[in-house]
Amino acid sequence: MKTGTRALFFGNLKEFGQKGILGQAPREKLKARGYIMKQFGGPAIFLDRDDINTDEIIPAKYLTEISKTALKPHLLEDLLLDGIPYDRQSEKSQNAQVVVTRANFGCGSSREHAVWAFEVNDINVVIAESFARIFRQNMFNCGILAVELQKDQLNQLFDMVGDILIFVDLGSCKLTASSNLDIQDSLIIQFELNQFDQKLVSAGGWLAYADTNY
């Protein structure tokens, strides 16, 4: 993303027309302020564990870093899955833009750095059964979409095989997961998201939302 641009996602543009989903702000006004279209989704990684905490997302020793960019290489550095260190250097992990995980994601210390580490690694969607409350709000404040699904819906995603792409139509609150393997059918899942959170994440986070609406 080029310096000086701000992210905006209109979902189904035909459905939202000239007003978009940010209140009544016309598209021309948003473009004039430097916003660009943002798509939620991309290649997915799967972290099959409950209770992944903020210390595992970004170790506490990096909290003194003075820039978000300095956090980038340390995302998920201390994460263990089944007692084994997570391979954060794998091609899948390096290319990921979507994280699929289990319950109570982002628990522990209520630090923004954990969300910032996702932000600078281009993670724009996290899908889980549930999130720690403050972590979830920090995600939306930073323009990262938190999608909560039922356990059986998550199991359907975890059961998929191959390299998985997941994209979100925010306007209809539907996500589509597809595999690179012909044997695997695509999966469409409906989710719920309140109107304010939809507007907040669509704007690219709290600062952009406030800039447009106040």
Side-chain angles (χ1 to χ4, degrees):
M1 185 177 294
K2 295 180 180 179
T3 303
T5 59
R6 288 177 279 186
L8 173 67
F9 177 76
F10 278 94
N12 186 326
L13 293 178
K14 291 182 180 179
E15 178 180 349
F16 291 113
Q18 294 296 315
K19 292 181 179 179
I21 62 175
L22 291 180
Q24 301 301 312
R27 187 182 305 190
E28 290 76 12
K29 177 182 177 182
L30 294 165
K31 285 183 177 180
R33 292 190 177 189
Y35 291 92
I36 61 172
M37 299 302 178
K38 178 180 178 181
Q39 189 175 47
F40 287 100
I45 54 171
F46 292 79
L47 309 179
D48 195 0
R49 212 197 85 191
D50 293 337
D51 304 315
I52 293 176
N53 64 55
T54 52
D55 286 322
E56 294 172 297
I57 295 170
I58 187 70
K61 62 186 176 182
Y62 299 117
L63 300 187
T64 57
E65 297 291 354
I66 60 174
S67 71
K68 293 181 181 180
T69 304
L71 302 174
K72 185 173 182 176
H74 307 295
L75 177 67
L76 304 177
E77 186 171 288
D78 287 350
L79 177 63
L80 299 177
L81 297 178
D82 295 326
I84 301 172
Y86 174 70
D87 184 6
R88 59 192 177 86
Q89 299 299 334
S90 68
E91 184 177 355
K92 279 190 177 182
S93 184
Q94 292 295 309
N95 294 332
Q97 293 178 285
V98 178
V99 173
V100 184
T101 186
R102 296 292 186 176
N104 198 31
F105 188 73
C107 57
S109 302
S110 56
R111 58 176 66 116
E112 290 182 306
H113 298 71
V115 175
W116 293 345
F118 281 125
E119 182 184 4
V120 295
N121 278 279
D122 297 323
I123 301 295
N124 59 73
V125 181
V126 180
I127 302 168
E129 184 177 349
S130 61
F131 294 86
R133 181 181 60 83
I134 294 177
F135 183 86
R136 180 186 183 278
Q137 191 57 56
N138 285 339
M139 286 182 61
F140 281 95
N141 287 344
C142 288
I144 301 176
L145 177 61
V147 175
E148 293 178 275
L149 299 180
Q150 299 297 317
K151 187 173 184 178
D152 61 331
Q153 294 174 314
L154 271 176
N155 287 339
Q156 291 180 67
L157 290 175
F158 275 96
D159 287 342
M160 295 185 74
V161 294
D163 295 332
I164 308 302
L165 291 171
I166 298 176
F167 289 99
V168 177
D169 183 336
L170 200 55
S172 62
C173 287
K174 289 181 181 178
L175 65 83
T176 301
S178 59
S179 169
N180 65 325
L181 301 179
D182 293 336
I183 61 172
Q184 176 70 68
D185 293 333
S186 295
L187 182 65
I188 299 176
I189 298 176
Q190 187 86 41
F191 63 92
E192 295 183 358
L193 187 65
N194 69 61
Q195 189 177 37
F196 178 75
D197 284 342
Q198 185 176 348
K199 292 178 179 180
L200 187 60
V201 75
S202 297
W206 171 250
L207 291 179
Y209 175 82
D211 183 41
T212 308
N213 290 271
Y214 299 103

